Amino acid sequence: MIVMKFGGTSVGSAGSIRSVIDVIRQAANSGKNPFVVVSAVSGVTDMLLAAARSALSKGSSVNGLVGGIERRHADIILGLGIAPDILLEDLAELEKMLYGIWLVREITARTTDYVASFGERMSSRIVAAYAKKCGLNAKEFNAYDLGMITDSNFGNAEILPSTYEAIAAAVEKIPSGTIPIVTGFVGKTKEGEITTLGRGGSDYTASIFGAALGAEEIQIWTDADGVMTADPKLVPGASTVPVVSFEEASELAYFGAKILHPKTILPAMNKNIPVRVLNTFNPSGSGTVILKSGRITNERPITAIACKKNIYVINISSLRMLLAYGFLSRVFRIFEDFEVPVDIITTSEVNVSVTVEKKFDISKLVDKLKEFAAVTVLSDRASISVIGNGIRSTPGIVGRLFSTLGKSGINVEMTSQSYADVNESIVVREDR
Ligand code: ASP
Ligand code: MG
């Protein structure tokens, strides 16, 4: 069995859904037993979240809020020639939900997830309907009806330890020969409330199902030719990397390569299942395969470079802390209390600098730090991460990196590389 996940652009038009079905058919014909996970049609999750927000602020009625969402799907349904009414119930339920928000003038994380879930619920219905029209034995499923149980951290829910077993038990009941078309991104709490796994979370869904079902391979079908040496928009000469280790892939995902949701790697890695990143729009390309590092022999010490804009650099210093212990623990306890994750850390005796993504609100955290330290926040910086299994073992790599930057007159403001690292990250001014 293989898990095949198709992203938003892959299901974003009638034409691309036709390519998706070709890809699934080929897998089925070669005896691979595809288990399919889909994202929402591209743009739809944003539209749903926007609709929920405007239901809250809209004056006299909620009429018309689902219009754009309905049209986005109707174009695809029309293009595929499938039954025009397959989304009627979903759209009616969505409208009711928005009406509820409008009526009570309140939107919670829980209702937001409920609204957001319609994207994948509708796309899975469309893909399954078209697959059936093409003669495949496909059937749509909500992931939560196949054991995807999560905690109640709405908006960024996490699976429970029992989820893997629940999935295996539920999928066992599907008649063999069926090709399941399953919603990415969504789950349900034990109490039956809909949750989402965080933006871009369909990759994670695919990896969880893959691990639970002991898949041979987890395929992430997207709109790029796999993991690239750098962002091709920034570096026109960037090329596809054929093989990447799990460690490299998670560093890349975390430090700015937009190809995979950062959480995707873990379930696959725990079960040692290869993850292959492929292009729906160039299906004959070989893409990138992500494997355990022991199985890789890359000649190049550096695999890829990623970059993260929209970060804060927070500098924390306290002379009082000279030779005192407990400074770091006090600093990081505050990040823990405010639930703000730190990306890069550098330290000296009296100074700690960290980077944090701008999506986190750090104002209260900074106030708290100021109670015992001098704090400055820089908001015009970016991090660049050079990633490769060879970094730790190849002498001179870091020297070359710094001399190259030096020759270009680019000042390196922070740098971090730990002993066992496959990642050398630096911070520079974003405009450089
Ligand atoms: N539809 C969700 C999003 O846009 C999940 C995903 O596409 O992976 O974030
Ligand atoms: Mg995605």
Side-chain angles (χ1 to χ4, degrees):
M1 199 265 290
I2 60 171
V3 173
M4 309 176 91
K5 180 262 174 178
F6 294 91
T9 48
S10 300
V11 298
S13 70
S16 58
I17 292 177
R18 281 193 206 100
S19 311
V20 164
I21 299 304
D22 285 343
V23 167
I24 297 173
R25 190 205 310 277
Q26 230 172 51
N29 286 348
S30 50
K32 294 233 164 92
N33 282 332
F35 182 98
V36 177
V37 174
V38 291
S39 283
V41 168
S42 60
V44 166
T45 307
D46 287 332
M47 289 167 101
L48 286 163
L49 296 174
R53 279 192 301 272
S54 26
L56 195 61
S57 56
K58 203 138 182 180
S60 53
S61 84
V62 283
N63 290 341
L65 277 185
V66 298
I69 295 164
E70 190 172 354
R71 276 191 299 280
R72 181 83 179 86
H73 292 93
D75 285 345
I76 296 175
I77 289 174
L78 203 69
L80 295 172
I82 50 180
D85 58 354
I86 56 169
L87 301 184
L88 277 187
E89 274 175 37
D90 296 305
L91 289 164
E93 191 183 338
L94 170 62
E95 206 157 25
K96 239 191 263 171
M97 205 59 209
L98 294 173
Y99 181 65
I101 293 172
W102 174 81
L103 209 58
V104 297
R105 290 270 182 273
E106 186 180 78
I107 182 166
T108 60
R110 183 160 55 115
T111 38
T112 304
D113 272 4
Y114 197 113
V115 170
S117 73
F118 283 97
E120 274 71 7
R121 290 159 68 185
M122 293 192 285
S123 66
S124 58
R125 234 183 264 292
I126 291 174
V127 172
Y130 184 64
K132 279 180 235 172
K133 187 184 168 194
C134 296
L136 296 178
N137 183 16
K139 185 170 166 30
E140 71 272 26
F141 290 95
N142 290 322
Y144 43 75
D145 295 325
L146 296 181
M148 183 60 83
I149 320 156
T150 72
D151 61 18
S152 57
N153 188 10
F154 296 99
N156 196 22
E158 191 47 85
I159 54 168
L160 307 179
S162 57
T163 304
Y164 290 107
E165 268 172 36
I167 288 174
V171 172
E172 184 140 304
K173 298 203 185 89
I174 300 176
S176 74
T178 309
I179 303 176
I181 313 284
V182 183
T183 55
F185 186 48
V186 301
K188 255 186 191 176
T189 63
K190 272 196 179 133
E191 291 71 35
E193 290 176 308
I194 292 181
T195 56
T196 68
L197 306 180
R199 294 306 305 269
S202 297
D203 294 342
Y204 190 37
T205 305
S207 181
I208 293 164
F209 274 106
L213 302 173
E216 232 171 275
E217 185 168 285
I218 297 159
Q219 299 184 343
I220 306 290
W221 289 84
T222 176
D223 53 8
D225 283 318
V227 175
M228 309 285 283
T229 50
D231 181 347
K233 284 187 207 110
L234 297 172
V235 183
S239 57
T240 300
V241 187
V243 190
V244 173
S245 70
F246 285 125
E247 295 81 6
E248 289 173 321
S250 26
E251 294 286 331
L252 278 167
Y254 194 77
F255 283 98
K258 289 179 192 72
I259 197 95
L260 276 182
H261 189 283
K263 280 185 180 171
T264 312
I265 302 300
L266 206 62
M269 189 166 82
N270 287 342
K271 288 281 174 77
N272 198 7
I273 301 170
V275 178
R276 201 179 287 274
V277 183
L278 293 152
N279 190 349
T280 305
F281 303 90
N282 176 25
S284 57
S286 47
T288 298
V289 61
I290 306 168
L291 300 173
K292 214 172 171 164
S293 56
R295 291 163 64 183
I296 301 177
T297 45
N298 268 350
E299 303 117 57
R300 291 195 294 189
I302 288 174
T303 302
I305 302 176
C307 138
K308 207 166 180 174
K309 295 181 183 179
N310 296 315
I311 57 167
Y312 293 117
V313 172
I314 309 175
N315 293 306
I316 307 143
S317 52
S318 174
L319 263 185
R320 270 191 303 152
M321 286 298 147
L322 193 62
L323 298 178
Y325 50 82
F327 179 47
L328 288 178
S329 101
R330 202 161 161 196
V331 167
F332 289 111
R333 169 63 59 80
I334 292 172
F335 282 87
E336 186 185 342
D337 288 348
F338 286 95
E339 296 181 358
V340 173
V342 163
D343 289 349
I344 302 172
I345 308 169
T346 60
T347 60
S348 69
E349 178 62 29
V350 292
N351 179 72
V352 188
S353 298
V354 301
T355 66
V356 168
E357 287 178 28
K358 276 191 191 163
K359 69 178 183 204
F360 296 100
D361 179 4
I362 57 166
S363 50
K364 290 203 188 93
L365 175 147
V366 167
D367 287 345
K368 198 83 193 159
L369 290 169
K370 279 182 175 162
E371 288 174 10
F372 65 95
V375 182
T376 55
V377 178
L378 306 171
S379 53
D380 53 357
R381 298 300 193 270
S383 68
I384 298 175
S385 301
V386 176
I387 287 153
N389 281 327
I391 289 184
R392 56 189 158 202
S393 53
T394 314
I397 292 290
V398 177
R400 273 173 72 186
L401 169 64
F402 285 111
S403 64
T404 306
L405 290 162
K407 274 182 219 142
S408 312
I410 295 171
N411 193 26
V412 175
E413 299 185 341
M414 280 172 71
T415 167
S416 82
Q417 189 208 340
S418 68
Y419 173 69
D421 232 345
V422 300
N423 171 2
E424 165 77 34
S425 285
I426 58 167
V427 172
V428 299
R429 266 179 38 197
E430 189 175 306
D431 61 2
R432 298 313 306 268

